Amino acid sequence: ESADKTNLGFIHAFVAAISVIIVSELGDKTFFIAAIMAMRYNRLTVLAGAMLALGLMTCLSVLFGYATTVIPRVYTYYVSTALFAIFGIRMLREGLKMSPDEGQEELEEVQAEIKKKDEELQRTKLLNGPGDVESGPGTTIPQKKWLHFISPIFVQAFTLTFLAEWGDRSQLTTIVLAAREDPYGVAVGGTVGHCLCTGLAVIGGRMIAQKISVRTVTIIGGIVFLAFAFSALFISPDSGF
């Protein structure tokens, strides 16, 4: 019975984490960063840098959330439920107020930020030589495979993604989830959710970035958050992991 309860706790946490990460990250700033960088540079390098940043952020968020379990569960459970309700209502309000082309502003902001980083990268290239700088997916400069993971592009993808994710809704959501659900389920579900979104951005690039309706995703996200808050009316705090 104890093993079944643990498995159910893991599955519930996994489903909750992957659901809220997907609705929070699709059309988010980190999504656009991966999409735009993947059009300019080696996709594997961009994906590796972005996923390392998101994986690290997920683990840190889970640790922050799990640290609150020293507080009696009944308090963290209902506080987290209230936060889910607040997030859900805010997302619904934001989504209903958005124009259908709201995501274009975010896309343009990310493009300007990456352009600025590109200029800094070019200045570094002129000063230090072109030996380890990737010029794009079609480059013919011979490189060892391991250099893809310590290149300036990898560092740029990691840094931009990590800074964009810090304090983001998905980070706060991961912390809240880890405070009330199985932390391993939250960590795995959150990481898988980030993998799916970032992988989609890297593969689809600008085309998918332009097709996604940030307004629709935000409204759906608000509904998902409210659904998790509403579920607390039927699930006892003691039924967790």
Side-chain angles (χ1 to χ4, degrees), residues 24-210:
S24 297
E25 288 299 305
L26 280 179
D28 194 42
K29 190 172 184 178
T30 51
F31 182 89
F32 289 132
I33 287 172
I36 295 171
M37 288 196 69
M39 291 187 297
R40 303 186 179 195
Y41 309 113
N42 182 281
R43 290 181 177 182
L44 180 60
T45 307
V46 173
L47 181 62
M51 277 313 308
L52 180 60
L54 293 169
L56 178 60
M57 184 66 73
T58 299
C59 292
L60 287 174
S61 301
V62 169
L63 286 175
F64 292 153
Y66 186 67
T68 65
T69 56
V70 295
I71 303 170
R73 178 170 170 76
V74 66
Y75 298 119
T76 58
Y77 185 80
Y78 287 116
V79 168
S80 63
T81 299
L83 289 173
F84 270 119
I86 292 170
F87 287 159
I89 292 170
R90 285 189 60 185
M91 288 182 77
L92 278 178
R93 287 183 60 189
E94 290 172 6
L96 292 172
K97 289 180 180 179
M98 284 180 183
S99 60
D101 58 346
E102 184 78 21
Q104 291 303 309
E105 295 179 8
E106 189 88 19
L107 184 63
E108 290 169 6
E109 180 184 338
V110 172
Q111 284 179 317
E113 191 171 348
I114 291 178
K115 183 179 179 182
K116 182 180 177 182
K117 292 290 182 181
D118 282 344
E119 292 171 355
E120 294 176 1
L121 196 62
Q122 289 302 318
R123 283 197 293 270
T124 303
K125 180 179 177 179
L126 290 173
L127 290 173
N128 301 331
D132 63 344
V133 178
E134 295 170 42
S135 58
T139 180
T140 56
I141 300 174
Q143 288 183 315
K144 295 179 181 179
K145 289 185 178 180
W146 61 270
L147 283 179
H148 285 303
F149 299 95
I150 57 171
S151 69
I153 303 306
F154 174 85
V155 174
Q156 183 177 333
F158 175 87
T159 306
L160 286 174
T161 303
F162 191 87
L163 293 177
E165 191 67 13
W166 187 264
D168 193 47
R169 183 187 288 115
S170 58
Q171 185 200 19
L172 299 177
T173 302
T174 305
I175 294 173
V176 172
L177 273 177
R180 61 179 277 174
E181 304 285 351
D182 182 284
Y184 299 106
V186 174
V188 175
T191 303
V192 172
H194 280 303
C195 279
L196 292 174
C197 292
T198 307
L200 183 65
V202 168
I203 294 170
R206 187 187 182 92
M207 181 183 71
I208 292 178
Q210 290 181 324

Side-chain angles (χ1 to χ4, degrees), residues 8-22:
L8 285 174
F10 179 90
I11 293 170
H12 187 271
F14 176 86
V15 172
I18 196 171
S19 300
V20 297
I21 290 300
I22 287 175

Side-chain angles (χ1 to χ4, degrees), residues 211-229:
K211 294 291 183 181
I212 284 179
S213 170
V214 176
R215 182 176 187 271
T216 302
V217 172
T218 303
I219 292 174
I220 293 173
I223 294 171
V224 169
F225 275 84
L226 287 176
F228 282 116

